[in-house]
Amino acid sequence: MSARGSALAALRGQIERIETSDAAHHHDRVALGHSGADSALKGGIARAAIHEVFCEGRYGTAATGFVTGLAGRVSARRPLLWVRQDFSEREAGALSMSGLAELGLDPRRLVMVRAADAEAALRTTADALACDALGAVVLEFWGETRQFDLVASRKLTLAAQASGATGLLLRMAANPSPSTAETRWLLRAAHSPPGALWSAWGAPSFDAELVRNRHGPVGRWIMEWKCDECQFSEPSAYPQPVAAAPAHRPHQAGFVGEQRKAG
């Protein structure tokens, strides 16, 4: 067998172990904070794995916030690399460092990489995932990307498992395709609950649907992001005021009833 054939055989063996070995079921996991999601994820989201987040283009901002929360949870205060295509930035706009800080992510831990095209973005992500100094690597794509196929997904999974870094793929305006991702999420914006009178808005809330979970059930939850605690939670219970019935309403109702009887 040639050297090339031996290398291919070794790669196939590694891929088969990823997909069939029981060892692949026992990732280091970090709790998200939302009890329903953590239960489905067998304790939390797996590190050293690939996770996908899909959204429609109009929900790009919400999905970016959700991925930021995931990255903050899995990176364990280690550096975070965010890879974006130039096209993605033209469509979705530039990331705001002050906005990330408001979500609880320290911008000093974030390294931004702008790639000219999808191929360059994939190469950068694969190299970054091979670095054990990074806590997480976010790869952001806009639209359908033919370069990201099952082979590319396997390469990213192998790199993540080898280094311990976690890969988060943010796919805007794209349809899911076969991959080796540990989880796949569909993300929509959710209404923030009313905040206190002195706050301008409520906590960020996400309509997160887990549609692929390699080692557990799927589900859909409203997940609220606690910026100060840097974790997700169930939606807060805000009591809604109920207007009292006017004092004269019973008399009006009785008067109308008497008119109907008279008629």
Side-chain angles (χ1 to χ4, degrees):
M1 182 181 295
S2 65
R4 179 181 176 84
S6 299
L8 287 174
L11 180 59
R12 290 191 185 100
Q14 288 177 315
I15 292 171
E16 185 177 355
R17 285 192 294 273
I18 288 175
E19 296 178 335
T20 62
S21 173
D22 289 339
H25 294 211
H26 302 290
H27 294 286
D28 177 27
R29 298 182 182 274
V30 57
L32 297 180
H34 187 286
S35 60
D38 285 336
S39 177
L41 295 169
K42 308 298 182 184
I45 194 165
R47 290 192 174 110
I50 301 299
H51 305 274
E52 297 175 328
V53 177
F54 284 81
C55 71
E56 296 179 19
R58 57 182 174 148
Y59 295 135
T61 301
T64 299
F66 183 73
V67 168
T68 298
L70 293 181
R73 296 297 295 167
V74 302
S75 60
R77 300 191 178 278
R78 287 189 292 171
L80 165 68
L81 188 76
W82 197 302
V83 183
R84 306 185 88 204
Q85 288 179 261
D86 287 336
F87 180 77
S88 178
E89 184 156 313
R90 289 196 294 270
E91 289 290 336
L95 290 179
S96 167
M97 295 300 106
S98 60
L100 295 178
E102 287 288 333
L103 290 173
L105 183 67
D106 186 353
R108 294 172 296 181
R109 294 195 292 117
L110 177 65
V111 178
M112 292 289 303
V113 175
R114 291 178 56 182
D117 51 37
E119 188 174 347
L122 279 169
R123 285 199 307 268
T124 302
T125 302
D127 290 342
L129 282 172
C131 177
D132 58 9
L134 294 174
V137 179
V138 177
L139 172 58
E140 181 180 335
F141 280 137
W142 181 282
E144 303 297 339
T145 306
R146 62 177 179 80
Q147 291 88 345
F148 185 72
D149 54 15
L150 188 56
V151 173
S153 176
R154 285 169 173 163
K155 289 180 178 178
L156 296 184
T157 296
L158 285 171
Q161 287 192 339
S163 68
T166 305
L168 301 169
L169 273 59
L170 176 53
R171 305 292 310 277
M172 301 183 186
N175 293 313
S177 58
S179 74
T180 58
E182 178 80 7
T183 66
R184 177 179 295 147
W185 302 77
L186 297 184
L187 210 289
R188 307 169 183 88
H191 292 292
S192 294
L197 295 177
W198 57 85
S199 65
W201 50 75
S205 295
F206 309 98
D207 181 349
E209 184 176 3
L210 180 62
V211 297
R212 172 184 168 88
N213 183 7
R214 292 189 67 189
H215 309 301
V218 296
R220 183 175 180 179
W221 309 276
I222 300 299
M223 300 174 66
E224 197 171 280
W225 176 250
K226 300 297 186 182
C227 301
D228 293 334
E229 295 85 353
C230 293
Q231 68 177 24
F232 294 94
S233 70
E234 289 78 9
S236 302
Y238 289 89
Q240 298 295 322
V242 178
H248 62 278
R249 182 170 294 171
H251 303 287
Q252 286 185 335
F255 179 69
V256 172
E258 290 176 0
Q259 281 188 321
R260 287 176 179 171
K261 291 179 181 178

